[in-house]
Amino acid sequence: MIFVVLGTQDKKFERLLKEVERLIMDGTIQEKVIVQAGTTTYKSEYMEIHKMIPMKQFLAYMEKCDYVITHGGVGTILDAMKHDKKIIAVPRLKMYGEHENDHQIQIIEKFENAEYLIGCHSVDDLQEAISKIETFEPKKCELGNQQMINLITNYIETTNPAKQKHRMLDIFYVVCATTLESIFYFLLSTKMKSIDAIAIGWLISYIFFITCRYEKHNYLFEIMWGLFLAITLLLWFNLYSDFYFIILMITIMASVITCASHNLFYQRREV
């Protein structure tokens, strides 16, 4: 059995599944293929595809499989190494919208140079990698050695640009949300109570925030969080109805808290 693992990132990796399916159809792959696809939506008659797999079952598949085909996710690679599995790793690429940058290329190269896995530069190299897998003897996993520490350190360093980009997006959307709040306040304050105008402005900015900032939504979470903050803001508005500067600061803080809470909720553990 071959275990294909795409992790749980918010971007798709259909190219890898299409290539695996092609190799099944031409007879290169004859074993059963089980896929943990994450957010990648793909239907196939030739593979058993799961969106998410419970950890217990995930580890069972990892133990049972002959080898693992995965993206350049450090979590999956380390899991496979701990189970002494042979690994073929294919990087997600920025040019296809599969990641924020091309750091997975460097991650795979580091692990390949250390003889822990067979690396591919693209999905087109997968067939050649499979032809080598039977005779490939990976180095044993020693998580405590300096080489492994260097690999993980390199991973952390190369993902910093992506984290910085997310922070910049957070700041951008919070500023935009605050601007929307101000615009709607001035547009509506002449037609209704100032407190109502601020509340409506904040609600519209919240909808803007979650629609633009996140590709995937859990609407129950959005609704419950929105209700919670709306009630909280109304309480503050009633307490400080005569202090508009304080109210403005509160709405800005609400946007910041919203941003932080959504980031925590949508954070994906890479497996």
Side-chain angles (χ1 to χ4, degrees):
M1 185 265 281
I2 300 171
F3 194 21
V4 179
V5 183
L6 303 188
T8 52
Q9 296 181 350
D10 60 354
K11 291 180 172 56
K12 299 180 180 181
F13 198 12
E14 291 182 4
R15 290 190 310 123
L16 180 56
L17 296 187
K18 287 179 180 178
E19 182 63 13
V20 172
E21 184 174 60
R22 186 187 74 80
L23 294 177
I24 294 172
M25 293 174 68
D26 73 9
T28 300
I29 295 176
Q30 298 182 355
E31 300 91 336
K32 180 179 180 179
V33 176
I34 295 177
V35 180
Q36 182 270 308
T39 58
T40 301
T41 303
Y42 192 80
K43 294 183 179 180
S44 174
E45 298 177 359
Y46 303 95
M47 298 179 283
E48 181 181 322
I49 300 177
H50 303 270
K51 183 176 180 180
M52 294 297 297
I53 300 175
M55 183 55 66
K56 184 177 180 180
Q57 187 62 58
F58 180 91
L59 295 175
Y61 286 144
M62 186 67 72
E63 187 66 37
K64 182 180 178 182
C65 69
D66 297 313
Y67 61 91
V68 175
I69 298 175
T70 183
H71 68 140
V74 172
T76 305
I77 292 172
L78 292 179
D79 277 340
M81 287 171 59
K82 285 187 288 186
H83 285 80
D84 294 324
K85 293 298 175 180
K86 297 181 179 182
I87 307 164
I88 296 174
V90 185
R92 294 173 179 266
L93 299 177
K94 179 182 178 181
M95 65 182 293
Y96 297 107
E98 295 161 350
H99 216 297
E100 300 293 342
N101 54 44
D102 289 330
H103 73 271
Q104 287 198 353
I105 296 174
Q106 287 76 39
I107 290 171
I108 291 172
E109 285 179 352
K110 291 287 185 179
F111 277 99
E112 183 177 31
N113 292 338
E115 301 178 359
Y116 288 115
L117 53 75
I118 298 176
C120 300
H121 291 94
S122 72
V123 296
D124 297 330
D125 300 328
L126 183 59
Q127 186 168 9
E128 182 181 355
I130 290 173
S131 69
K132 298 176 181 176
I133 198 70
E134 187 174 346
T135 56
F136 175 63
E137 293 297 333
K139 183 181 289 186
K140 292 293 182 180
C141 174
E142 297 178 9
L143 294 178
N145 66 21
Q146 187 59 45
Q147 189 174 39
M148 182 59 65
I149 293 171
N150 291 339
L151 287 171
I152 296 173
T153 300
N154 178 73
Y155 166 72
I156 293 170
E157 289 174 350
T158 52
T159 54
N160 277 339
K163 292 179 180 178
Q164 291 171 1
K165 180 179 179 181
H166 285 304
R167 291 193 192 102
M168 292 302 295
L169 282 173
D170 292 338
I171 294 170
F172 172 74
Y173 284 115
V174 167
V175 170
C176 287
T178 304
T179 303
L180 274 177
E181 290 168 18
S182 302
I183 291 172
F184 278 97
Y185 167 72
F186 287 113
L187 288 175
L188 299 174
S189 59
T190 58
K191 301 177 181 179
M192 60 181 66
K193 293 180 180 179
S194 296
I195 299 303
D196 295 334
I198 292 173
I200 292 173
W202 183 85
L203 180 61
I204 292 172
S205 72
Y206 172 75
I207 294 171
F208 163 82
F209 177 84
I210 62 173
T211 303
C212 297
R213 181 66 181 88
Y214 298 97
E215 297 178 6
K216 301 290 181 181
H217 306 288
N218 180 312
Y219 292 106
L220 177 61
F221 173 74
E222 311 294 6
I223 292 168
M224 295 303 294
W225 183 252
L227 286 173
F228 169 76
L229 277 183
I231 292 169
T232 303
L233 288 173
L234 284 173
L235 291 173
W236 278 102
F237 292 162
N238 288 325
L239 288 173
Y240 297 100
S241 58
D242 295 328
F243 301 94
Y244 296 114
F245 177 77
I246 295 176
I247 291 174
L248 178 61
M249 292 299 101
I250 291 170
T251 54
I252 292 173
M253 287 304 300
S255 296
V256 172
I257 292 169
T258 298
C259 179
S261 67
H262 280 67
N263 283 348
L264 288 173
F265 185 83
Y266 287 112
Q267 185 177 10
R268 298 289 186 255
R269 187 179 71 84
E270 193 177 67
V271 296

